[in-house]
Amino acid sequence: MTPRLNLIVLGKQGAGKGTQCTVLALKYNIPHVSTGDTLRNAVKAGSELGRQVASILEAGELVKDELVNALVRERFTQADAQRGVLLDGFPRTLNQAEALEAMLGDDGIKLCINLDVAKELVIRRLSSRRVCQECATTYNDSDIEAISGTCSNCGGDVIQRTDDYPDAIRTRLETYERDTEPLLAFYGERDLLVTVNGDQSPSDVTAAIVKVVHERGLA
Ligand code: AMP
């Protein structure tokens, strides 16, 4: 049996994880599992889960480990995840990383890609980021879609995420440094960590990731 291609894309908010995962999911035919998207969709749908997490997301704080772990565990039971998964925004704490190891067992994480981008650059990127509420396409505040408020992809409303407001950005980056950065050592010790310069064009970042995946004999 071919081993499952379980990949993690790690990096600060605004490092380009979502953009890369969209492309890589198509390339490797594995689902893009974004806990942030799942939680935002729950908030938008007004579900019980959404009501529980709405204020946490808005403040840029982390949702409880048990809750996200359960979401991911459930996602792994779906048919498409049997080929592998591309994890975006999970794990975000050591507790989540340990829970993930337990979920995947022997056929575990094959690679953790650290998209490295300076803090000043991600602050600039996040502050100017606008996003379609319907299809999640991202724009820059100077793009016509952001100015007109209409997505050219699907016609949905283009807005600024509330967690991209300055206070929330600050909280999210502090949370990243405190809770998520320790994962670099966690995956480094397991020889699973590769750092890619995220301050290049999106296609150059993709090419660098594809090269590493190939060199490691994973695809
Ligand atoms: P993201 O789009 O990945 O930046 O996630 C948006 C928000 O969802 C985060 O600021 C957290 O509030 C929440 N979230 C997403 N993934 C996780 C996670 N793995 N653990 C805890 N909270 C999460």
Side-chain angles (χ1 to χ4, degrees):
M1 199 178 91
T2 325
R4 295 196 303 175
L5 186 57
N6 297 320
L7 304 178
I8 296 172
V9 179
L10 203 71
K12 294 184 193 75
Q13 293 79 356
K17 300 189 294 293
T19 304
Q20 290 305 320
C21 286
T22 304
V23 178
L24 295 169
L26 280 174
K27 176 162 179 64
Y28 296 124
N29 191 27
I30 49 176
H32 172 191
V33 175
S34 159
T35 43
D37 282 348
T38 307
L39 293 166
R40 265 188 297 280
N41 287 338
V43 173
K44 211 167 90 187
S47 66
E48 174 56 32
L49 169 67
R51 277 194 295 275
Q52 273 180 45
V53 301
S55 62
I56 302 174
L57 261 69
E58 185 150 341
E61 287 160 5
L62 289 186
V63 170
K64 278 203 170 56
D65 287 334
E66 302 75 59
L67 207 155
V68 253
N69 290 346
L71 284 181
V72 173
R73 197 174 293 113
E74 206 283 320
R75 182 66 184 84
F76 283 173
T77 64
Q78 293 175 23
D80 59 351
Q82 307 320 307
R83 298 190 299 270
V85 283
L86 189 53
L87 293 170
D88 166 8
F90 182 91
R92 248 177 162 101
T93 64
L94 280 174
N95 176 305
Q96 293 178 14
E98 281 159 4
L100 177 63
E101 279 195 336
M103 282 179 222
L104 293 173
D106 292 340
D107 200 12
I109 292 300
K110 303 296 171 353
L111 193 64
C112 174
I113 299 144
N114 171 34
L115 278 187
D116 188 31
V117 178
K119 195 169 168 180
E120 299 68 43
L121 179 58
V122 295
I123 291 174
R124 247 182 289 140
R125 281 186 185 174
L126 292 173
S127 314
S128 61
R129 177 164 75 175
R130 300 295 180 269
V131 56
C132 172
Q133 264 188 313
E134 296 304 321
C135 70
T137 300
T138 54
Y139 297 102
N140 192 274
D141 59 358
S142 58
D143 290 336
I144 182 69
E145 291 86 352
I147 295 164
S148 67
T150 306
C151 177
S152 54
N153 188 35
C154 75
D157 288 341
V158 175
I159 55 135
Q160 180 168 26
R161 273 169 51 173
T162 48
D163 60 354
D164 282 344
Y165 294 159
D167 280 354
I169 291 178
R170 210 170 306 118
T171 305
R172 288 160 75 204
L173 290 174
E174 280 167 13
T175 307
Y176 178 84
E177 283 169 8
R178 188 189 59 231
D179 296 325
T180 310
E181 234 160 41
L183 296 185
L184 299 179
F186 181 91
Y187 289 110
E189 282 159 15
R190 287 158 175 73
D191 195 26
L192 291 173
L193 185 76
V194 170
T195 294
V196 167
N197 174 13
D199 187 8
Q200 324 176 59
S201 71
S203 59
D204 285 349
V205 176
T206 308
I209 295 173
V210 168
K211 186 164 172 273
V212 176
V213 171
H214 181 73
E215 280 168 0
R216 292 226 170 184
L218 297 173

